[in-house]
Amino acid sequence: MSGTLLLALRLVMALTLYAFLGWALLTLWRDIRRQSELIIARQIPGISLVEETDTGSKVYHFNNPEVVIGRDQRCDLVFDVNTVSAEHARLSYHHNNWWIEDLHSRNGTLLNLELLTTPVVLTSNDELQLGQVILKAEISESLPDSK
C-alpha cells in the first residue's frame, strides 16, 4: 500500500512540476510577444522637409522610419531636377535619432554646406542640399500621441 501511495505522490509531483513549467513558458512567451508588439508599434518623431521656392515654401512631412529622396518615381520624395540623382539620399530613424546618408549620388549631398561622406545625425534647422535642391529639416520635438 505504501508503494502505491508513494508512486501516486510521485506522479502528482511530476504533473505539478510539468504544469508549473508549462505555465512559466506560456507566461514568458506572452511577455515576449507583447514586447515585440510594443517595439513594432513604437512611434517615431516626424520629420518635415521645407523647400523654399520662388512661389513660396513647400513642406513635406514624413512619419515613416526611412525616407529616400531622389529623381526616381519610387522614391518617397521626388524632385524632377537633373542635378538630383535617381536615389540621392536617405533619411532614416534609428538609435533615437534621424540620420542622413548620401547614396553615392553624382553631385553629392551637403549638410550645412559640408559634403557628406558617412551617415550623420540630423537635427532641426539643418540645411540639406541635394544638387540644386535646398531643404531645411524640422524634427518634431515629441513623439506622436499613441492611440
Side-chain angles (χ1 to χ4, degrees):
M1 176 91 162
S2 65
T4 308
L5 184 60
L6 189 57
L7 179 62
L9 285 175
R10 283 183 179 174
L11 288 174
V12 169
M13 290 297 289
L15 289 174
T16 304
L17 179 62
Y18 282 119
F20 174 75
L21 288 175
W23 172 79
L25 289 174
L26 179 65
T27 302
L28 286 172
W29 179 75
R30 285 181 179 169
D31 190 43
I32 289 171
R33 196 173 87 197
R34 187 177 321 118
Q35 289 295 324
S36 66
E37 288 171 359
L38 288 174
I39 289 171
I40 290 170
R42 183 173 57 183
Q43 297 288 324
I44 61 169
I47 186 167
S48 297
L49 300 174
V50 181
E51 177 188 19
E52 295 295 333
T53 63
D54 298 336
T55 59
S57 57
K58 293 181 183 176
V59 179
Y60 308 97
H61 185 73
F62 301 95
N63 283 324
N64 41 331
E66 184 174 286
V67 178
V68 177
I69 304 170
R71 200 175 63 240
D72 193 323
Q73 294 300 315
R74 293 175 292 172
C75 292
D76 300 301
L77 181 55
V78 178
F79 291 105
D80 193 18
V81 178
N82 289 336
T83 57
V84 175
S85 296
E87 288 186 349
H88 198 102
R90 175 186 300 125
L91 302 173
S92 56
Y93 185 80
H94 55 88
H95 296 99
N96 295 324
N97 286 302
W98 277 100
W99 294 71
I100 181 160
E101 166 185 18
D102 183 67
L103 299 176
H104 307 292
S105 61
R106 180 181 57 223
N107 293 317
T109 302
L110 300 176
L111 175 64
N112 298 325
L113 302 177
E114 291 189 28
L115 186 64
L116 289 179
T117 55
T118 61
V120 176
V121 173
L122 193 64
T123 60
S124 282
N125 298 319
D126 277 348
E127 184 180 278
L128 309 173
Q129 185 172 348
L130 300 88
Q132 294 175 337
V133 176
I134 298 174
L135 302 167
K136 183 178 142 189
E138 295 177 0
I139 299 171
S140 300
E141 293 297 319
S142 61
L143 294 174
D145 293 334
S146 302
K147 294 188 180 184

